[in-house]
Amino acid sequence: MALTRNVEEVQMSTFKQGRINDPKNAVSILQCFKEQHVWKVLNDLKTDRDYEFTKSERILAGKPITDLVEIGISAPFIASDCVGGLFRELKRFSSAGSFKLFVGVDLVNSLWGKTLVKKADRTYASSSDLTLVKLFRDLISSDWKNGCILLIADKSELANARDHLTVLRNTPLELFGEEGFHAIEPFIPIDTKLYTKEEISNMYQYYYDKRWLVSEKARSEDGKLQMMYLSAFNPYDFERLCAFN
């Protein structure tokens, strides 16, 4: 939802007319990628084409693909285009067998949801107008191989805080909508159920061992039972309770 709701600044794309860039989130994506442990490995992989963003900002074919990250961080106004170039190269190298690519996207159904981004005429832009949304849609498409895509959809994208009567369904079609549903096909749906008593006890022990639980009450047997039943065995709610105790 960060790409469609938490957008602090926008600029119109010079690459695609009508497309809206999100420099701040684009830089954050590139910065996060740079901090990954595979950075040195990717430095040995070279681009197969020239990337010309402006007359002065360009990357020639044969340069490390990490240059796309570096130039995007240093020049936020082209960061969105650099994200696109990086995603393209990752898909290309994965399909060629250079490495196996894992793509994980949380709240992915927001890529087909509503946005809070306004266009020049003060109307709300559709999600397909946003450059980063388009790039992530391309990244999770089935036009590359030798990898795995894990998508997490959530009912929060559809929820209305003022509506206490509607019971939201959590089928893929309901969560993604018709357009999003067809875009992610084929896929294997996995329903995330509530914890069993054994599972929630194991998670409690994990949080206990990692010292997430700092208060004496939370580290007691009575505190454990209270958090289990306050969360109603919901994985997210239980994690949040443990994080603040």
Side-chain angles (χ1 to χ4, degrees):
M1 294 173 72
L3 302 182
T4 56
R5 308 287 178 89
N6 302 329
V7 180
E8 296 183 8
E9 57 179 287
V10 298
Q11 66 181 40
M12 299 309 297
S13 172
T14 56
F15 177 74
K16 183 74 172 180
Q17 186 176 4
R19 196 73 57 75
I20 301 173
N21 289 349
D22 178 2
K24 187 171 183 178
N25 277 329
V27 169
S28 296
I29 292 169
L30 295 173
Q31 189 66 52
C32 181
F33 190 86
K34 184 177 179 179
E35 294 169 357
Q36 302 304 308
H37 67 282
V38 295
W39 180 253
K40 291 183 178 179
V41 176
L42 297 180
N43 198 50
D44 296 329
L45 303 177
K46 312 300 181 183
T47 59
D48 70 332
R49 51 167 283 187
D50 294 343
Y51 290 91
E52 185 171 348
F53 305 107
T54 66
K55 290 183 178 180
S56 57
E57 280 83 18
R58 68 182 65 182
I59 296 175
L60 300 178
K63 292 292 185 178
I65 65 173
T66 50
D67 284 4
L68 287 164
V69 178
E70 298 285 11
I71 194 174
I73 293 174
S74 63
F77 65 95
I78 61 170
S80 296
D81 294 331
C82 290
V83 171
L86 175 64
F87 285 179
R88 175 188 175 276
E89 295 290 349
L90 291 176
K91 290 165 61 176
R92 181 175 69 86
F93 278 110
S94 177
S95 297
S98 299
F99 52 73
K100 294 183 183 295
L101 179 63
F102 172 79
V103 177
V105 185
D106 195 8
L107 291 173
V108 69
N109 51 324
S110 65
L111 297 180
W112 289 273
K114 298 177 181 179
T115 81
L116 296 180
V117 178
K118 289 187 176 181
K119 297 187 288 188
D121 60 3
R122 308 306 296 169
T123 60
Y124 286 106
S126 69
S127 55
S128 58
D129 292 329
L130 307 183
T131 299
L132 292 181
V133 167
K134 177 66 168 57
L135 295 177
F136 271 95
R137 287 184 184 180
D138 289 343
L139 182 62
I140 63 176
S141 65
S142 57
D143 61 349
W144 57 279
K145 58 185 179 180
N146 197 36
C148 173
I149 301 174
L150 176 63
L151 307 177
I152 302 175
D154 196 282
K155 290 189 288 187
S156 60
E157 172 61 30
L158 308 175
N160 183 345
R162 298 180 179 179
D163 185 354
H164 300 286
L165 299 177
T166 303
V167 178
L168 297 173
R169 301 180 65 183
N170 57 357
T171 64
L173 182 58
E174 293 286 340
L175 292 172
F176 284 89
E178 188 171 346
E179 181 186 2
F181 180 84
H182 290 302
I184 64 172
E185 285 190 306
F187 63 91
I188 301 174
I190 302 174
D191 185 19
T192 305
K193 300 182 181 297
L194 298 178
Y195 280 143
T196 64
K197 195 165 186 177
E198 180 182 2
E199 288 172 337
I200 202 169
S201 294
N202 289 338
M203 288 308 303
Y204 174 85
Q205 191 60 47
Y206 174 80
Y207 295 141
Y208 185 98
D209 294 341
K210 293 295 183 180
R211 304 195 67 81
W212 274 34
L213 304 165
V214 294
S215 68
E216 291 186 13
K217 183 72 172 177
R219 295 174 68 85
S220 68
E221 186 64 25
D222 183 55
K224 170 186 173 181
L225 292 175
Q226 286 191 38
M227 289 191 293
M228 286 170 57
Y229 290 106
L230 281 172
S231 68
F233 291 76
N234 181 288
Y236 175 79
D237 292 338
F238 185 70
E239 184 269 338
R240 289 291 82 197
L241 283 171
C242 291
F244 291 98
N245 280 281

